[in-house]
Amino acid sequence: MAAPFSDLDPLLHSQLRLAVMSLLLSVREAEFNFLKEKTGATAGNLSVQLGKLKEANYLTVTREMNGSYPLTRCAITPVGVAAFEKYVADLQRYLKPGG
Amino acid sequence: MEPLEKPFSAPDSLRLIQQMIQSAKQDLSDNSFNLLLWGWLVLAAALTHYGLLALNYDKPWVAWPLLMGLGTVASFVDGARRARRERERARTAQGDFMTYLWAGFGVLMVMLIGMGAASGWRLAYPLIIALYGLSTFATGGALRFRPLIWGGAACWLLATVAFRVDFKAQLLLIAAAVLVAYIVPGHLLRNQYRRGRTV
């Protein structure tokens, strides 16, 4: 089923990771709970997927304490923006008739 | 652990991207608070000043320090609340632009107030009206909200007129400026925000 999309970036061709990257493209920086709320993901799954995107250097993750509770802030990197743009261009090629 | 996901088609993918971008935009904060706060305070101060001048009161300017002091405190409280919310939610390029624009506005306003106190208000008032125009015009552009753009441009016309009239008439022009640049667009912006439309 995924065969026609085999050369789409596998890191981005996943619902949750793509949702996170789309959100981060629209803001400068977002907190973990903002991403969790907007994507409807569980905290565990979101953590795992953020880890994968971070490993690929698509985003940065900064942890800090805000009084007594921690804040985890994520921001997209230039590498992430370039990967996202390439992914959208690839998608558009697939959508073109005869493409 | 790979999440269990349904096969994901290209149109699904584009729909998701669009939905998420839209959803991030809808989280924009209500930007009308400061416009309405300062709009109503300046309107009240200018009209009180005008009224007290007509009554020959010996300190007709008394409403300015009182109301502007009140506005400064309210603005700082709101700013701190907003900064905390941004840290806990999301920071946008638009939000950063607004912070720098209005901080710069504040600095220039203090300079113009200093100029008014030192060398007379007749020259300072038209420049203050022009500064209202610049900040409102740029805010309107950033929010893509036309009433603010038109309100800002109207301030420049009022500022031009203000250079040519006496001090009493300048007070009415300041009141007109905040009405068209802050109060009317501020209420329109608040209504739009409450209806849940993105700007």
Side-chain angles (χ1 to χ4, degrees), chain B residues 68-150:
Chain B
M68 299 305 103
L70 182 71
T72 306
V73 172
S75 252
F76 268 104
V77 171
D78 175 67
R81 193 178 51 86
R82 209 178 275 255
R84 193 170 56 237
R85 189 182 138 80
E86 274 201 354
R87 270 158 53 84
E88 290 169 6
R89 303 281 298 163
R91 225 181 91 202
T92 61
Q94 193 186 59
D96 284 1
F97 170 76
M98 298 275 278
T99 303
Y100 281 90
L101 173 72
W102 288 95
F105 167 91
V107 171
L108 206 45
M109 182 58 81
V110 169
M111 290 175 72
L112 288 175
I113 291 170
M115 179 190 139
S119 12
W121 292 99
R122 252 209 87 223
L123 190 59
Y125 271 20
L127 294 174
I128 287 175
I129 297 176
L131 177 61
Y132 287 157
L134 171 67
S135 49
T136 313
F137 189 75
T139 297
L143 298 180
R144 276 176 281 163
F145 191 65
R146 278 179 190 278
L148 281 169
I149 298 176
W150 287 111

Coordinates of all heavy atoms in Angstrom, one line a residue, chain B residues 68-150:
Chain B
M68 N -2.6 57.4 32.6 CA -1.5 56.8 31.9 C -0.7 55.9 32.9 O -0.3 54.8 32.5 CB -0.5 57.8 31.3 CG -1.2 58.7 30.2 SD -2.0 57.7 28.9 CE -3.7 57.9 29.3
G69 N -0.7 56.3 34.2 CA -0.1 55.4 35.2 C -0.9 54.1 35.3 O -0.3 53.0 35.4
L70 N -2.2 54.3 35.4 CA -3.1 53.1 35.5 C -2.9 52.2 34.3 O -2.7 50.9 34.4 CB -4.5 53.6 35.5 CG -5.6 52.6 35.7 CD1 -5.6 52.1 37.1 CD2 -7.0 53.3 35.4
G71 N -2.8 52.8 33.1 CA -2.6 52.0 31.9 C -1.3 51.2 31.9 O -1.2 50.0 31.5
T72 N -0.2 51.9 32.4 CA 1.1 51.2 32.4 C 1.1 50.0 33.3 O 1.5 48.9 33.0 CB 2.2 52.2 32.9 OG1 2.1 53.4 32.1 CG2 3.6 51.7 32.8
V73 N 0.5 50.1 34.5 CA 0.4 49.0 35.4 C -0.4 47.9 34.8 O 0.0 46.7 34.8 CB -0.3 49.4 36.8 CG1 -0.6 48.2 37.7 CG2 0.6 50.4 37.5
A74 N -1.6 48.2 34.2 CA -2.4 47.1 33.6 C -1.7 46.5 32.5 O -1.8 45.2 32.3 CB -3.7 47.8 33.1
S75 N -1.0 47.2 31.7 CA -0.2 46.7 30.5 C 0.9 45.7 31.0 O 1.1 44.7 30.4 CB 0.4 47.8 29.8 OG -0.2 48.0 28.6
F76 N 1.6 46.1 32.1 CA 2.6 45.2 32.6 C 2.1 43.9 33.1 O 2.6 42.9 32.9 CB 3.5 45.9 33.7 CG 4.7 46.6 33.1 CD1 4.7 48.0 32.9 CD2 5.8 45.9 32.7 CE1 5.8 48.7 32.3 CE2 6.9 46.5 32.1 CZ 6.9 47.9 31.9
V77 N 0.9 44.0 33.9 CA 0.3 42.8 34.4 C -0.1 41.9 33.2 O 0.2 40.7 33.2 CB -0.9 43.2 35.3 CG1 -1.7 41.9 35.7 CG2 -0.4 43.9 36.5
D78 N -0.7 42.5 32.2 CA -1.2 41.7 31.1 C 0.0 41.1 30.3 O 0.0 40.0 29.9 CB -2.0 42.6 30.1 CG -2.4 41.9 28.8 OD1 -3.2 40.9 28.9 OD2 -1.9 42.2 27.8
G79 N 1.1 41.9 30.2 CA 2.3 41.5 29.5 C 3.0 40.3 30.2 O 3.4 39.3 29.5
A80 N 3.0 40.3 31.5 CA 3.6 39.2 32.3 C 2.8 37.9 32.1 O 3.3 36.8 31.9 CB 3.7 39.6 33.7
R81 N 1.5 38.1 32.1 CA 0.5 36.9 32.0 C 0.7 36.3 30.6 O 0.8 35.1 30.4 CB -0.9 37.5 32.1 CG -1.9 36.4 32.3 CD -3.3 37.1 32.5 NE -3.6 38.1 31.5 CZ -4.2 37.8 30.3 NH1 -4.5 36.5 30.0 NH2 -4.4 38.7 29.4
R82 N 0.8 37.2 29.6 CA 1.0 36.8 28.2 C 2.3 36.1 28.0 O 2.4 35.0 27.3 CB 0.9 38.0 27.3 CG 0.4 37.8 26.0 CD 0.4 39.1 25.3 NE -0.9 39.9 25.6 CZ -1.9 40.0 24.7 NH1 -1.7 39.5 23.5 NH2 -2.9 40.6 25.0
A83 N 3.4 36.6 28.6 CA 4.7 36.0 28.5 C 4.7 34.6 29.1 O 5.3 33.7 28.5 CB 5.8 36.9 29.1
R84 N 4.1 34.4 30.2 CA 4.0 33.1 30.9 C 3.3 32.1 30.0 O 3.7 31.0 29.8 CB 3.3 33.3 32.2 CG 3.5 32.1 33.1 CD 3.0 32.3 34.5 NE 1.6 32.7 34.6 CZ 1.2 33.8 35.1 NH1 2.1 34.7 35.6 NH2 0.0 34.2 35.1
R85 N 2.1 32.6 29.4 CA 1.3 31.7 28.6 C 2.1 31.3 27.3 O 2.1 30.2 26.9 CB 0.1 32.5 28.1 CG -0.9 31.6 27.4 CD -2.2 32.4 27.0 NE -2.6 32.1 25.7 CZ -3.3 31.0 25.4 NH1 -3.7 30.2 26.4 NH2 -3.6 30.7 24.2
E86 N 2.9 32.2 26.8 CA 3.7 31.9 25.6 C 4.7 30.8 25.9 O 5.0 29.9 25.1 CB 4.4 33.2 25.1 CG 3.6 34.0 24.1 CD 4.4 34.9 23.2 OE1 5.6 35.0 23.4 OE2 3.8 35.5 22.3
R87 N 5.4 31.0 27.1 CA 6.4 30.0 27.5 C 5.8 28.6 27.6 O 6.4 27.6 27.4 CB 7.0 30.4 28.8 CG 8.2 31.3 28.7 CD 8.5 32.1 29.9 NE 8.6 31.2 31.1 CZ 9.7 30.6 31.5 NH1 10.8 30.7 30.8 NH2 9.7 29.9 32.6
E88 N 4.5 28.6 28.1 CA 3.9 27.3 28.4 C 3.1 26.8 27.2 O 2.6 25.6 27.2 CB 2.9 27.4 29.6 CG 3.7 27.6 30.9 CD 2.8 28.0 32.0 OE1 1.5 28.0 31.8 OE2 3.3 28.3 33.1
R89 N 3.0 27.6 26.1 CA 2.2 27.1 24.9 C 3.2 27.2 23.7 O 3.9 26.3 23.5 CB 1.0 28.0 24.7 CG 0.0 28.1 25.9 CD -0.8 26.9 25.9 NE -1.7 26.7 24.8 CZ -2.3 25.6 24.4 NH1 -2.1 24.5 25.1 NH2 -3.1 25.5 23.4
A90 N 3.1 28.3 23.0 CA 3.9 28.4 21.8 C 4.3 29.8 21.5 O 3.5 30.7 21.9 CB 3.1 27.8 20.6
R91 N 5.4 30.0 21.0 CA 5.9 31.3 20.6 C 5.8 31.5 19.1 O 6.3 30.6 18.4 CB 7.4 31.5 21.1 CG 7.7 32.7 21.8 CD 9.2 32.7 22.2 NE 9.9 33.3 21.1 CZ 11.2 33.1 20.9 NH1 11.9 32.2 21.7 NH2 11.9 33.7 20.0
T92 N 5.2 32.6 18.7 CA 5.1 32.8 17.2 C 6.0 33.9 16.8 O 6.3 34.8 17.5 CB 3.7 33.0 16.8 OG1 3.2 34.3 17.5 CG2 2.7 31.9 17.2
A93 N 6.3 33.9 15.5 CA 7.1 35.0 14.9 C 6.3 36.3 15.0 O 6.8 37.4 15.3 CB 7.4 34.7 13.4
Q94 N 4.9 36.2 14.8 CA 4.1 37.3 14.9 C 4.1 37.9 16.3 O 4.1 39.2 16.5 CB 2.7 36.9 14.5 CG 1.7 38.0 14.2 CD 0.3 37.5 14.0 OE1 -0.3 36.8 14.9 NE2 -0.2 37.7 12.8
G95 N 4.0 37.1 17.3 CA 4.0 37.5 18.7 C 5.3 38.3 19.0 O 5.3 39.3 19.7
D96 N 6.4 37.7 18.5 CA 7.7 38.4 18.8 C 7.8 39.7 18.1 O 8.3 40.7 18.7 CB 8.9 37.5 18.2 CG 9.2 36.3 19.1 OD1 8.5 36.2 20.1 OD2 10.1 35.5 18.8
F97 N 7.2 39.8 16.9 CA 7.2 41.1 16.2 C 6.5 42.1 17.0 O 6.9 43.3 17.1 CB 6.6 40.9 14.8 CG 6.4 42.2 14.1 CD1 7.4 42.9 13.5 CD2 5.1 42.8 14.0 CE1 7.2 44.2 12.9 CE2 4.9 44.0 13.4 CZ 5.9 44.7 12.8
M98 N 5.3 41.7 17.5 CA 4.4 42.7 18.2 C 5.1 43.1 19.5 O 5.1 44.3 19.8 CB 3.1 42.0 18.6 CG 2.3 41.6 17.4 SD 1.3 42.9 16.8 CE 0.0 42.7 17.9
T99 N 5.8 42.2 20.2 CA 6.5 42.6 21.4 C 7.6 43.7 21.1 O 7.7 44.7 21.8 CB 7.2 41.4 22.0 OG1 6.2 40.4 22.2 CG2 7.9 41.7 23.3
Y100 N 8.4 43.5 20.0 CA 9.4 44.4 19.7 C 8.9 45.7 19.2 O 9.4 46.8 19.5 CB 10.4 43.8 18.7 CG 11.4 42.9 19.4 CD1 11.1 41.5 19.5 CD2 12.6 43.4 19.9 CE1 12.0 40.7 20.2 CE2 13.5 42.6 20.6 CZ 13.2 41.2 20.7 OH 14.1 40.4 21.3
L101 N 7.8 45.6 18.4 CA 7.2 46.9 17.9 C 6.7 47.7 19.0 O 7.0 48.9 19.1 CB 6.1 46.5 16.9 CG 5.2 47.7 16.4 CD1 6.0 48.6 15.5 CD2 3.9 47.3 15.8
W102 N 5.9 47.1 19.9 CA 5.3 47.9 21.0 C 6.3 48.4 22.0 O 6.1 49.4 22.7 CB 4.1 47.2 21.5 CG 2.9 47.3 20.5 CD1 2.6 46.3 19.6 CD2 2.1 48.4 20.2 NE1 1.6 46.7 18.8 CE2 1.2 48.0 19.2 CE3 1.9 49.6 20.8 CZ2 0.2 48.8 18.6 CZ3 0.9 50.5 20.3 CH2 0.1 50.1 19.2
A103 N 7.4 47.6 22.2 CA 8.4 48.0 23.1 C 9.1 49.3 22.6 O 9.3 50.2 23.3 CB 9.4 46.9 23.4
G104 N 9.4 49.2 21.3 CA 10.0 50.4 20.6 C 9.0 51.6 20.6 O 9.4 52.7 20.9
F105 N 7.7 51.3 20.5 CA 6.7 52.4 20.6 C 6.8 53.0 22.0 O 6.8 54.3 22.1 CB 5.3 51.7 20.4 CG 4.2 52.6 20.7 CD1 3.6 53.4 19.8 CD2 3.6 52.6 22.0 CE1 2.5 54.2 20.2 CE2 2.5 53.4 22.4 CZ 2.0 54.2 21.4
G106 N 6.9 52.2 23.0 CA 7.0 52.7 24.4 C 8.2 53.6 24.6 O 8.1 54.7 25.2
V107 N 9.3 53.2 24.0 CA 10.5 54.0 24.2 C 10.4 55.4 23.5 O 10.6 56.5 24.0 CB 11.8 53.3 23.6 CG1 13.0 54.2 23.5 CG2 12.1 52.0 24.4
L108 N 9.9 55.3 22.2 CA 9.7 56.6 21.5 C 8.6 57.5 22.2 O 8.8 58.7 22.2 CB 9.3 56.2 20.1 CG 9.6 57.2 19.0 CD1 11.0 57.7 19.1 CD2 9.4 56.6 17.6
M109 N 7.6 56.8 22.7 CA 6.6 57.6 23.4 C 7.2 58.4 24.6 O 6.9 59.6 24.8 CB 5.5 56.7 23.9 CG 4.3 57.4 24.6 SD 3.5 58.6 23.5 CE 2.5 57.6 22.5
V110 N 8.0 57.7 25.4 CA 8.7 58.3 26.5 C 9.5 59.5 26.0 O 9.5 60.6 26.6 CB 9.5 57.3 27.3 CG1 10.4 58.0 28.3 CG2 8.6 56.3 28.0
M111 N 10.2 59.3 24.9 CA 11.0 60.4 24.4 C 10.2 61.6 24.0 O 10.5 62.8 24.2 CB 11.8 59.9 23.1 CG 12.9 59.0 23.5 SD 13.8 58.3 22.0 CE 14.6 59.7 21.5
L112 N 9.0 61.3 23.3 CA 8.1 62.4 22.9 C 7.5 63.1 24.1 O 7.3 64.4 24.1 CB 7.0 61.9 21.9 CG 7.5 61.5 20.6 CD1 6.4 60.9 19.7 CD2 8.1 62.7 19.8
I113 N 7.2 62.4 25.1 CA 6.6 63.0 26.3 C 7.7 63.9 27.0 O 7.4 65.0 27.4 CB 6.1 61.9 27.4 CG1 4.9 61.2 26.8 CG2 5.8 62.5 28.7 CD1 4.4 60.0 27.5
G114 N 9.0 63.4 26.9 CA 10.1 64.3 27.4 C 10.2 65.5 26.6 O 10.3 66.6 27.1
M115 N 10.1 65.4 25.3 CA 10.2 66.5 24.4 C 9.0 67.5 24.7 O 9.2 68.7 24.7 CB 10.1 66.0 23.0 CG 10.2 67.1 21.9 SD 9.8 66.4 20.3 CE 8.8 67.7 19.7
G116 N 7.8 67.0 24.9 CA 6.6 67.8 25.2 C 6.8 68.6 26.5 O 6.6 69.8 26.5
A117 N 7.3 67.9 27.5 CA 7.5 68.5 28.8 C 8.6 69.6 28.7 O 8.5 70.7 29.3 CB 7.9 67.5 29.8
A118 N 9.6 69.4 27.9 CA 10.8 70.3 27.8 C 10.5 71.4 26.9 O 10.8 72.6 27.2 CB 12.0 69.5 27.4
S119 N 10.0 71.1 25.7 CA 9.9 72.2 24.7 C 8.4 72.5 24.2 O 8.2 73.1 23.1 CB 10.8 72.0 23.5 OG 11.3 70.7 23.5
G120 N 7.4 72.1 25.0 CA 6.1 72.4 24.6 C 5.3 71.3 23.9 O 5.9 70.6 23.1
W121 N 4.0 71.2 24.3 CA 3.2 70.1 23.8 C 2.7 70.3 22.4 O 2.3 69.3 21.7 CB 2.1 69.8 24.8 CG 2.6 69.3 26.1 CD1 2.8 70.0 27.2 CD2 3.0 68.0 26.4 NE1 3.3 69.2 28.2 CE2 3.4 68.0 27.7 CE3 3.0 66.8 25.6 CZ2 3.9 66.8 28.3 CZ3 3.4 65.6 26.3 CH2 3.9 65.7 27.6
R122 N 2.7 71.5 21.9 CA 2.1 71.8 20.6 C 2.8 71.0 19.5 O 2.2 70.6 18.5 CB 2.0 73.3 20.3 CG 0.6 73.9 20.4 CD 0.5 75.1 19.5 NE 0.0 74.7 18.1 CZ 0.5 75.2 17.0 NH1 1.5 76.1 17.1 NH2 0.1 74.8 15.9
L123 N 4.1 70.9 19.6 CA 4.9 70.1 18.6 C 4.8 68.6 18.9 O 4.9 67.8 18.0 CB 6.3 70.7 18.6 CG 7.1 70.2 17.4 CD1 6.5 70.6 16.1 CD2 8.5 70.8 17.5
A124 N 4.8 68.3 20.2 CA 4.8 66.9 20.6 C 3.6 66.1 20.2 O 3.6 65.0 19.7 CB 5.1 66.7 22.1
Y125 N 2.4 66.8 20.4 CA 1.1 66.1 20.1 C 1.0 65.5 18.7 O 0.6 64.4 18.5 CB -0.1 67.0 20.5 CG -0.5 66.8 21.9 CD1 0.4 66.3 22.9 CD2 -1.8 67.2 22.3 CE1 0.0 66.2 24.2 CE2 -2.2 67.1 23.6 CZ -1.3 66.6 24.6 OH -1.7 66.4 25.9
P126 N 1.3 66.3 17.7 CA 1.2 65.8 16.3 C 2.1 64.6 16.1 O 1.8 63.6 15.4 CB 1.6 66.9 15.4 CG 1.4 68.2 16.2 CD 1.7 67.8 17.6
L127 N 3.3 64.6 16.7 CA 4.3 63.5 16.6 C 3.7 62.3 17.3 O 3.9 61.1 16.9 CB 5.6 63.9 17.1 CG 6.3 65.0 16.2 CD1 7.6 65.5 16.9 CD2 6.6 64.5 14.8
I128 N 3.1 62.5 18.5 CA 2.5 61.4 19.2 C 1.4 60.7 18.4 O 1.3 59.5 18.3 CB 2.0 61.9 20.6 CG1 3.2 62.1 21.5 CG2 1.0 60.8 21.2 CD1 2.8 62.7 22.9
I129 N 0.6 61.6 17.7 CA -0.5 61.0 16.9 C 0.1 60.2 15.7 O -0.3 59.1 15.4 CB -1.4 62.2 16.3 CG1 -2.1 62.9 17.5 CG2 -2.4 61.6 15.3 CD1 -3.0 64.1 17.1
A130 N 1.2 60.8 15.1 CA 1.9 60.0 14.0 C 2.5 58.7 14.5 O 2.4 57.7 13.8 CB 3.0 60.9 13.4
L131 N 3.0 58.7 15.8 CA 3.5 57.4 16.3 C 2.4 56.4 16.5 O 2.6 55.2 16.3 CB 4.2 57.7 17.6 CG 4.8 56.6 18.4 CD1 5.8 55.8 17.6 CD2 5.4 57.0 19.7
Y132 N 1.2 56.9 17.0 CA 0.0 56.0 17.1 C -0.2 55.4 15.7 O -0.5 54.2 15.6 CB -1.3 56.8 17.4 CG -1.4 57.2 18.8 CD1 -2.2 58.3 19.2 CD2 -0.7 56.6 19.9 CE1 -2.4 58.8 20.4 CE2 -0.8 57.1 21.2 CZ -1.7 58.2 21.5 OH -1.8 58.6 22.7
G133 N -0.1 56.2 14.7 CA -0.3 55.8 13.3 C 0.6 54.7 12.9 O 0.2 53.6 12.4
L134 N 1.9 54.9 13.1 CA 2.9 53.9 12.7 C 2.7 52.5 13.4 O 2.6 51.5 12.7 CB 4.3 54.4 13.1 CG 5.4 53.4 12.9 CD1 5.6 53.0 11.5 CD2 6.7 53.9 13.5
S135 N 2.5 52.6 14.7 CA 2.4 51.3 15.4 C 1.1 50.6 15.1 O 1.1 49.3 14.9 CB 2.4 51.5 16.9 OG 1.5 52.6 17.3
T136 N 0.0 51.3 14.9 CA -1.3 50.7 14.5 C -1.2 50.1 13.1 O -1.6 49.0 12.8 CB -2.4 51.7 14.6 OG1 -2.3 52.4 15.8 CG2 -3.7 51.0 14.5
F137 N -0.6 50.9 12.2 CA -0.4 50.5 10.8 C 0.4 49.2 10.7 O 0.0 48.2 10.0 CB 0.3 51.6 10.1 CG 0.4 51.5 8.6 CD1 -0.7 51.8 7.8 CD2 1.6 51.1 7.9 CE1 -0.7 51.7 6.4 CE2 1.6 51.0 6.5 CZ 0.5 51.3 5.8
A138 N 1.5 49.1 11.4 CA 2.4 47.9 11.4 C 1.7 46.7 12.0 O 1.8 45.6 11.5 CB 3.7 48.2 12.1
T139 N 0.9 47.0 13.1 CA 0.2 45.9 13.8 C -0.9 45.3 12.8 O -1.0 44.1 12.7 CB -0.5 46.4 15.1 OG1 0.6 46.8 16.0 CG2 -1.3 45.3 15.7
G140 N -1.6 46.2 12.1 CA -2.6 45.8 11.2 C -2.0 44.9 10.1 O -2.6 43.9 9.7
G141 N -0.8 45.3 9.6 CA -0.1 44.5 8.6 C 0.3 43.2 9.1 O 0.0 42.2 8.4
A142 N 0.8 43.1 10.3 CA 1.2 41.8 10.9 C 0.0 40.9 11.1 O 0.1 39.7 10.9 CB 2.0 42.0 12.2
L143 N -1.1 41.5 11.6 CA -2.3 40.7 11.9 C -3.2 40.5 10.6 O -4.1 39.8 10.7 CB -3.1 41.3 13.0 CG -2.5 41.5 14.4 CD1 -3.5 42.2 15.3 CD2 -2.1 40.2 14.9
R144 N -2.8 41.1 9.6 CA -3.6 41.2 8.4 C -5.0 41.6 8.7 O -6.0 40.9 8.4 CB -3.6 39.8 7.6 CG -2.3 39.7 6.8 CD -2.2 38.3 6.1 NE -1.7 37.4 7.1 CZ -1.8 36.1 7.0 NH1 -2.4 35.6 5.9 NH2 -1.3 35.3 7.8
F145 N -5.1 42.7 9.4 CA -6.4 43.2 9.9 C -6.6 44.6 9.3 O -6.0 45.6 9.9 CB -6.5 43.1 11.4 CG -7.8 43.4 11.9 CD1 -8.9 42.5 11.7 CD2 -8.1 44.5 12.7 CE1 -10.2 42.7 12.2 CE2 -9.4 44.7 13.2 CZ -10.4 43.8 13.0
R146 N -7.4 44.8 8.3 CA -7.5 46.0 7.6 C -8.0 47.2 8.4 O -7.4 48.3 8.2 CB -8.4 45.9 6.4 CG -7.7 45.3 5.2 CD -8.6 45.2 4.0 NE -7.9 44.4 3.0 CZ -7.0 44.9 2.2 NH1 -6.8 46.2 2.2 NH2 -6.4 44.2 1.3
P147 N -8.9 47.1 9.3 CA -9.3 48.3 10.1 C -8.2 48.9 10.8 O -8.1 50.2 11.0 CB -10.4 47.7 11.1 CG -10.9 46.5 10.4 CD -9.8 45.9 9.6
L148 N -7.2 48.1 11.3 CA -6.0 48.7 11.9 C -5.1 49.5 10.9 O -4.6 50.5 11.2 CB -5.2 47.7 12.6 CG -5.7 47.1 14.0 CD1 -4.9 45.9 14.4 CD2 -5.5 48.2 15.0
I149 N -5.0 48.9 9.7 CA -4.2 49.6 8.7 C -4.8 50.9 8.3 O -4.1 51.9 8.3 CB -4.1 48.7 7.4 CG1 -3.4 47.3 7.8 CG2 -3.4 49.4 6.3 CD1 -3.3 46.3 6.7
W150 N -6.1 50.9 8.1 CA -6.8 52.2 7.8 C -6.8 53.2 9.0 O -6.6 54.4 8.8 CB -8.3 51.9 7.4 CG -8.4 51.3 6.0 CD1 -8.8 50.0 5.7 CD2 -8.1 51.9 4.8 NE1 -8.7 49.8 4.4 CE2 -8.3 50.9 3.8 CE3 -7.6 53.2 4.4 CZ2 -8.1 51.2 2.4 CZ3 -7.4 53.4 3.0 CH2 -7.6 52.4 2.1

